[in-house]
Amino acid sequence: MARTVWDSTVGKKTVMAVSGLVMLLYLVAHMIGNLKIFFGTEEFNRYAHWLRTVGEPFMHYEWTLWLIRVVLVVAVVAHAVSAYQLSRRDIKARPSKYVHKKARSSYATRTMRWGGIILGLFIVWHILDLTTGTVHSGGFETGKPYQNVVDTFSTWYGNVIYIVAMLALGLHIRHGFWSAAQTLGAGSRTRDRALKTTANVLALLLTLGFIAVPVGVMTGVVS
């Protein structure tokens, strides 16, 4: 049955919607955590340490964090695979381009695929920069996330990569949240306006919230 559901277009859309909402919940929590950087070095570093001790003593050190990471990896892979396969089906069903573009198609809708690719590449860079320190500038310091974040956003390319990715994220959420609601049956004539407003507000708040960190470093508010 699972294979039958996955092979269907509706099944893939459902997987894409659910995995997208899982990632959205994580992004909200991640943004709130990121904003702690404005409360100083000690506050931010203590928060980062807390993430590794959540659930103790029942959970061992970093077990909860790794559980979250595994769930996110599964969500990202499921989202990307279902998006790719749905895209291929769409291309096969309509091999020739439309003569006229859909008049009501938004910029976010038209750029969902490219936005997904940008975000996928950003995730890889972000992990290599602030988790493993492989591509980090200024000397990666284990256990000192505040200093590492300041190092990253003290470079012009770190700011450009991050801000471009966050703008892509905002567009992705703006269209993706509403699409997920439709797929999961939450949409209706009476609720569509509220859902679209919620999507716009979420996209705006998350974009501004994430971009606030590099802007804080660039302006000297965070140093």
Side-chain angles (χ1 to χ4, degrees):
M1 178 177 287
R3 183 57 186 267
T4 301
V5 172
W6 171 248
D7 286 342
S8 69
T9 298
V10 173
K12 292 183 189 299
K13 286 184 176 181
T14 301
V15 169
M16 193 173 176
V18 173
S19 59
L21 292 176
V22 168
M23 290 187 285
L24 180 60
L25 289 174
Y26 167 77
L27 286 170
V28 172
H30 189 42
M31 181 200 69
I32 294 172
N34 280 3
L35 293 177
K36 288 181 177 291
I37 200 168
F38 290 100
F39 294 94
T41 308
E42 184 178 347
E43 177 81 10
F44 192 70
N45 287 348
R46 186 166 64 244
Y47 161 69
H49 176 71
W50 171 81
L51 288 175
R52 288 159 173 75
T53 60
V54 174
E56 288 187 343
F58 179 73
M59 299 290 280
H60 191 62
Y61 182 75
E62 285 196 343
W63 277 14
T64 302
L65 182 60
W66 273 105
L67 180 62
I68 293 171
R69 287 170 174 169
V70 169
V71 171
L72 282 173
V73 168
V74 171
V76 169
V77 171
H79 197 76
V81 171
S82 55
Y84 174 76
Q85 292 185 355
L86 284 170
S87 176
R88 296 303 301 173
R89 285 189 178 184
D90 186 53
I91 292 172
K92 287 180 179 179
R94 291 186 290 269
S96 58
K97 294 183 178 180
Y98 289 111
V99 176
H100 301 288
K101 291 183 179 179
K102 292 181 180 179
R104 302 184 67 179
S105 178
S106 68
Y107 182 77
T109 304
R110 296 194 302 269
T111 57
M112 281 295 283
R113 291 171 188 170
W114 282 109
I117 293 172
I118 290 172
L119 291 172
L121 294 173
F122 168 76
I123 290 171
V124 174
W125 175 82
H126 196 51
I127 291 172
L128 293 176
D129 178 36
L130 292 176
T131 301
T132 66
T134 307
V135 299
H136 185 75
S137 61
F140 185 79
E141 298 181 74
T142 303
K144 295 184 178 181
Y146 183 97
Q147 289 80 353
N148 293 332
V149 169
V150 172
D151 284 345
T152 291
F153 297 130
S154 294
T155 62
W156 68 267
Y157 58 86
N159 289 314
V160 170
I161 292 172
Y162 194 87
I163 291 173
V164 168
M166 292 307 100
L167 292 174
L169 176 67
L171 290 172
H172 210 75
I173 291 172
R174 181 173 177 266
H175 177 69
F177 179 83
W178 186 81
S179 296
Q182 302 304 309
T183 298
L184 298 176
S188 69
R189 288 184 178 181
T190 56
R191 290 195 293 263
D192 275 358
R193 179 174 293 182
L195 287 170
K196 287 181 179 180
T197 300
T198 302
N200 290 335
V201 171
L202 275 173
L204 182 62
L205 289 178
L206 284 169
T207 301
L208 294 178
F210 280 118
I211 289 179
V213 177
V215 171
V217 175
M218 285 189 286
T219 57
V221 175
V222 176
S223 63

